[in-house]
Amino acid sequence: AVQLVESGGGSVQTGGSLRLSCTASNHDFIVSCMSWFRQGPGREREGIARISPLGDVIDYADSVKGRFTISRDNAKNTVFLDMNKLMPNDTAMYYCAASLLWCSGEWDVQAKASESWGQGTQVTVSS
């Protein structure tokens, strides 16, 4: 398992952009499926983006498709989430997660299969 630390959250206006980063503590990262989840106020946790260890398989939730881009730099043990065209309902705590075992299918399965989670970084989008 790895320890994960997110950064890059903040406050932006509607239409703005942010880049989140999540850095892992060791090289288990390079064999881990990395995901981004978020949980907004009064909402359930939502899986939004996922990238396979080699970066060749990427999935997005419909809510972010076309606006958010996930990528990874295995040399730096870091996964990124570039968020564009942000809207108020993107306001949430954003978490990265790592799984050594699973990298497909339903988001709740991905969440349960993720053995490492970061502490979260807050994104607030104002209208």
Side-chain angles (χ1 to χ4, degrees):
V2 297
Q3 291 184 324
L4 302 172
V5 178
E6 300 101 334
S7 61
S11 297
V12 297
Q13 293 187 327
T14 296
S17 299
L18 284 173
R19 178 178 239 205
L20 305 184
S21 300
C22 169
T23 300
S25 59
N26 64 55
H27 288 301
D28 278 353
F29 175 86
I30 67 174
V31 293
S32 295
C33 177
M34 298 302 299
S35 303
W36 286 97
F37 291 80
R38 67 184 182 185
Q39 188 165 16
R43 296 182 178 181
E44 293 186 354
R45 182 177 58 194
E46 175 188 19
I48 58 173
R50 173 172 57 206
I51 186 168
S52 60
L54 294 179
D56 54 337
V57 180
I58 290 175
D59 299 304
Y60 296 103
D62 288 344
S63 58
V64 305
K65 198 172 294 183
R67 300 187 300 122
F68 290 11
T69 302
I70 189 171
S71 60
R72 66 191 295 160
D73 185 340
N74 284 350
K76 296 182 178 179
N77 288 352
T78 300
V79 61
F80 303 100
L81 186 68
D82 289 294
M83 305 185 296
N84 298 307
K85 301 179 182 178
L86 284 162
M87 302 182 293
N89 61 4
D90 292 317
T91 294
M93 186 72 80
Y94 284 71
Y95 301 90
C96 64
S99 175
L100 292 169
L101 300 177
W102 199 260
C103 205
S104 65
E106 299 296 325
W107 292 105
D108 58 342
V109 175
Q110 188 66 51
K112 291 175 183 177
S114 294
E115 63 273 356
S116 301
W117 291 78
Q119 82 289 350
T121 186
Q122 178 67 38
V123 172
T124 302
V125 185
S126 58
S127 57

